[in-house]
Amino acid sequence: MATTNVKDPNAATGLEGRPTVAATRRAMLAEFWYYFRQNRGAVMGLVVFLLIVLVAIFAPLIAPHDPAMQVRGSFLVPPVWEAGGSWEFILGTDAVGRDILSRILYGARFSLFIGLVVVALAVTVGVIVGLIAGYFRGAVDTIIMRLMDIILAFPSLLLALVLVAVLGPGLTNAMIAIALVLQPHFVRLTRAAVMAEKGRDYVTAAKVAGASDLRLMFKTILPNCTAPLIVQATLSFSNAILDAAALGFLGMGAQPPTPEWGTMLAEAREFILRAWWVVTFPGLAILITVLAINLMGDGLRDALDPKLKRS
Amino acid sequence: MLRFILGRLAVLIPTFLGVSIIAFTFIRILPGDPVMLMSGERVMSEERYLELTHQLGFDRPLWVQYLDFLGGVLTGDLGNSIVTRRPVLSEFFSLFPATLELSLCAILIAVLLGVPLGIVAAIRRGSWLDQSIMGFALVGYSMPIFWWGLLLIILFSGVLGWTPVSGRISLLYFFPPVTGFMLIDSLLSGQEGAFRSAVSHLVLPSIVLATIPLAVIARQTRSAMLEVLGEDYVRTARAKGLPPRCVIGLHALRNALIPVITTIGLQVGVLMAGAILTETIFSWPGIGKWMVDSVFRRDYAVVQGGLLLIAGIIMLVNLIVDVLYGLVNPRIRH
């Protein structure tokens, strides 16, 4: 496998001529990037996603207005290119005179934050539970998998909606609810991967060498199960953003006046036939973000799936 | 085959029990006392409160209450709505046809468009046609459908004035429900223009609800088709000089459709989740809107019963899909 650093062969190979851990990692990364790059859509998705991340980080610097500031006398001002629009409010204002562009720029923070927290929660819990189920099997496995079947028996949005009703509407509870309905996918994937890996020779070797259960689970097996988990995490990231926006739209997610995109849509609903811009732009922001992440997900799947590489 | 079905059922029973426990527990951990909720705004005396608690059985141990609830479920008694006082089950059955009609139209659109699009994309792999179909599919898959619905309302109801904004039929028409399906009932009523009105109400919600399943089915059909097109028997069929139409229609498609059928079956959950949003946007009087309204009204009896019924339907459809899959693909029966 080609590594970029060829000046000093000793840097890439250990004393016995075997690649060092760092060199192997670099080579794997280079290989991954090579395959990822083949997928133009994925690269485009990555670029857009990075732009959204930048927007989220620098929102206070680039937003022309305070997202919560209500400008009196500027209610439902149309975008700049429409008759009656002004450069002061490029994408127009909402029903209480807030700048839509600024709210969308700030909204990027919420969506990315939601995606990050939900995926972190779902992956952590899902991987640990899946490892336990796949490693120990038996009764523990049966109970865990039945539990996951029960969660999966409900439509995810409905379960999240009822959970939020139980916990109380709000962004934090919405994130917990979405993480809970997304984690069975991680449990199933991890369990399947662990079961496939557990019988391999390297695991037996580590066991014979005296590795503890915990070490076998997390250090020996888990690193070899990561590829499908990364792909699933990407898909869950976009699902989390969509579900959180849906909950916000239904009035059970982030509460007004938070500039969360779904909540903005909920507030804009009654004006759709009078002011198309209050509805169009927040939804477009959701679509672009989710699309960029899904494009990346497709590219990741292709790059990480050895079956597709050979063809 | 019977053993296969029984095996599936054996897995379903504990899952359904678990679902019932979850639905039962929700009502218990919700903020607020169900008895106090029933009293609404009125002030309730201590005596009356205790009496009602006893009457409703809330003073019994939890497991007794659960068994009672489960007994009710098995005999078709899901309790009464706190708001309307009507039995939950009869409310469900009066609203379910609306959701079923919408979902059937949506899945029909999704299959009739998604499968051919997936096939074309697979046959023309790598062409601009393939890329645009897959591009559209990815957009559909990423679509926030509640926004998509609002956009369609702006365009078709607001700008063009072609379709109504909400409901199942114009208020001008009234006829008693026979089947519960507005398309059929409007035809049966014989009233002029009723069927047209029903169709124009149904078009936008069906398109919105079909969007995600359509994208998923097109993607799944394409990848299943691609897999099959690489198989030896397809090459053999080609090699013996069969026309492409025959190779694809007879040899490839039949096998490619097996995983697609499973995918279509799995869309039931997607449709139910989609119905929650679609019905809310279009004020469609189905069970999705009913659930959302009940959550907001804190009508816990309905939420509890609705959760159970919806999960039950999804499990049942998945069972049917599993059995069908076993029928067409004998390998997985063993």
Side-chain angles (χ1 to χ4, degrees):
Chain A
M1 215 46 63
T3 52
T4 42
N5 185 1
V6 283
K7 277 181 199 157
D8 179 8
N10 287 331
T13 53
L15 285 176
E16 301 107 19
R18 276 197 319 211
T20 60
V21 174
T24 317
R25 267 204 197 128
R26 262 206 308 279
M28 279 166 68
L29 216 63
E31 188 197 352
F32 162 74
W33 178 242
Y34 172 79
Y35 283 106
F36 188 79
R37 225 178 30 191
Q38 309 286 313
N39 188 330
R40 262 181 305 161
V43 177
M44 223 158 68
L46 180 66
V47 171
V48 174
F49 181 72
L50 290 178
L51 276 176
I52 297 169
V53 172
L54 286 179
V55 163
I57 295 172
F58 296 110
L61 292 178
I62 45 178
H65 298 277
D66 182 316
M69 189 182 67
Q70 307 181 357
V71 180
R72 209 180 288 168
S74 295
F75 303 143
L76 295 176
V77 174
V80 60
W81 58 89
E82 292 258 309
S86 84
W87 278 102
E88 202 191 341
F89 308 109
I90 297 174
L91 297 183
T93 62
D94 63 9
V96 289
R98 291 173 299 199
D99 180 41
I100 291 180
L101 177 64
S102 307
R103 289 177 70 71
I104 288 177
L105 294 178
Y106 272 91
R109 296 186 147 192
F110 287 94
S111 283
L112 294 184
F113 176 70
I114 291 164
L116 214 63
V117 173
V118 168
V119 170
L121 266 176
V123 168
T124 316
V125 178
V127 165
I128 292 175
V129 175
L131 267 175
I132 293 172
Y135 187 82
F136 292 110
R137 303 302 309 274
V140 186
D141 180 38
T142 313
I143 293 171
I144 290 176
M145 292 326 284
R146 282 296 85 75
L147 266 175
M148 295 307 129
D149 282 348
I150 292 167
I151 298 178
L152 288 172
F154 297 101
S156 60
L157 186 64
L158 179 64
L159 191 59
L161 182 74
V162 177
L163 266 174
V164 176
V166 171
L167 300 168
L171 195 57
T172 315
N173 290 340
M175 290 193 294
I176 295 172
I178 298 168
L180 188 86
V181 296
L182 286 179
Q183 57 86 30
H185 301 286
F186 291 99
V187 175
R188 283 188 160 187
L189 270 180
T190 314
R191 173 176 175 269
V194 168
M195 275 158 50
E197 294 294 318
K198 209 185 153 191
R200 299 274 176 86
D201 288 343
Y202 71 90
V203 181
T204 318
K207 202 172 190 174
V208 170
S212 66
D213 280 339
L214 273 180
R215 189 184 170 81
L216 279 174
M217 279 158 70
F218 287 95
K219 278 251 163 186
T220 315
I221 299 179
L222 185 61
N224 292 300
C225 307
T226 41
L229 288 172
I230 292 173
V231 177
Q232 183 61 39
T234 324
L235 290 177
S236 298
F237 200 104
S238 57
N239 271 335
I241 293 178
L242 273 179
D243 280 356
L247 286 178
F249 178 73
L250 291 172
M252 283 286 177
Q255 297 297 305
T258 314
E260 196 272 323
W261 294 334
T263 313
M264 284 171 75
L265 278 174
E267 291 177 79
R269 252 186 86 186
E270 47 186 310
F271 306 104
I272 54 168
L273 294 179
R274 269 168 50 203
W276 58 269
W277 54 93
V278 288
V279 177
T280 310
F281 298 122
L284 201 59
I286 302 174
L287 176 61
I288 292 173
T289 310
V290 173
L291 190 59
I293 297 167
N294 282 344
L295 277 169
M296 269 170 30
D298 273 9
L300 277 174
R301 198 194 50 213
D302 293 354
L304 292 172
D305 187 346
K307 223 165 65 182
L308 286 166
K309 271 184 206 170
R310 268 181 251 119
S311 63
Chain B
M1 192 63 209
L2 192 69
R3 259 186 72 183
F4 173 71
I5 299 176
L6 287 178
R8 291 279 139 177
L9 268 177
V11 179
L12 270 193
I13 291 168
T15 313
F16 187 75
L17 281 178
V19 166
S20 73
I21 291 176
I22 287 195
F24 171 81
T25 325
F26 268 139
I27 206 168
R28 266 69 199 174
I29 51 176
L30 277 164
D33 188 317
V35 179
M36 291 304 275
L37 267 169
M38 286 182 74
S39 76
E41 302 288 308
R42 283 167 290 156
V43 183
M44 197 187 281
S45 71
E46 181 82 4
E47 272 167 33
R48 177 82 184 124
Y49 176 81
L50 287 176
E51 190 192 319
L52 261 180
T53 311
H54 182 71
Q55 201 180 324
L56 293 166
F58 287 126
D59 54 349
R60 295 172 302 168
L62 263 187
W63 65 272
V64 176
Q65 289 184 46
Y66 170 69
L67 286 182
D68 191 42
F69 166 71
L70 194 63
V73 170
L74 294 178
T75 51
D77 175 18
L78 289 170
N80 292 340
S81 155
I82 296 173
V83 177
T84 62
R85 313 267 164 182
R86 286 178 53 203
V88 172
L89 200 65
S90 78
E91 277 204 350
F92 178 86
F93 280 118
S94 70
L95 295 169
F96 185 60
T99 301
L100 190 62
E101 184 175 39
L102 180 61
S103 304
L104 283 176
C105 284
I107 203 73
L108 212 65
I109 295 175
V111 172
L112 290 182
L113 286 176
V115 172
L117 284 176
I119 295 172
V120 171
I123 297 171
R124 303 267 149 117
R125 184 185 188 178
S127 70
W128 65 268
L129 194 63
D130 175 26
Q131 285 177 0
S132 16
I133 290 175
M134 284 306 106
F136 275 116
L138 198 65
V139 172
Y141 183 69
S142 313
M143 188 65 85
I145 59 166
F146 45 98
W147 173 68
W148 176 226
L150 294 177
L151 279 193
L152 290 178
I153 290 179
I154 293 179
L155 180 64
F156 290 103
S157 309
V159 179
L160 299 169
W162 288 355
T163 54
V165 180
S166 64
R168 293 181 77 189
I169 194 156
S170 163
L171 292 174
L172 294 172
Y173 306 100
F174 180 78
F175 38 82
V178 182
T179 58
F181 291 94
M182 201 51 91
L183 289 181
I184 300 175
D185 287 356
S186 62
L187 273 180
L188 289 178
S189 76
Q191 293 179 32
E192 206 177 319
F195 181 68
R196 248 182 88 127
S197 172
V199 171
S200 69
H201 279 81
L202 187 61
V203 172
L204 289 192
S206 312
I207 293 176
V208 170
L209 192 54
T211 306
I212 292 176
L214 168 59
V216 175
I217 290 171
R219 280 163 67 104
Q220 177 66 45
T221 308
R222 177 181 181 269
S223 66
M225 231 9 220
L226 280 180
E227 201 157 296
V228 170
L229 285 177
E231 295 281 345
D232 288 342
Y233 62 83
V234 172
R235 201 180 320 141
T236 311
R238 281 207 177 113
K240 67 182 186 187
L242 286 179
R245 202 159 21 103
C246 195
V247 175
I248 286 162
L250 205 68
H251 291 77
L253 191 59
R254 281 214 325 215
N255 288 294
L257 280 183
I258 295 176
V260 175
I261 290 173
T262 318
T263 310
I264 295 171
L266 289 176
Q267 297 308 305
V268 188
V270 179
L271 284 173
M272 289 313 303
I276 293 172
L277 294 166
T278 313
E279 291 180 1
T280 304
I281 300 166
F282 291 96
S283 303
W284 189 266
I287 50 172
K289 187 168 182 301
W290 179 57
M291 287 301 283
V292 174
D293 291 345
S294 305
V295 165
F296 275 98
R297 283 190 221 135
R298 307 211 156 256
D299 191 342
Y300 299 135
V302 169
V303 174
Q304 172 179 272
L307 267 179
L308 194 67
L309 288 166
I310 292 173
I313 289 174
I314 293 178
M315 284 161 64
L316 196 69
V317 175
N318 285 344
L319 174 73
I320 295 171
V321 171
D322 263 2
V323 172
L324 280 181
Y325 197 68
L327 273 178
V328 287
N329 189 358
R331 270 175 305 180
I332 69 146
R333 260 182 261 163
H334 307 292

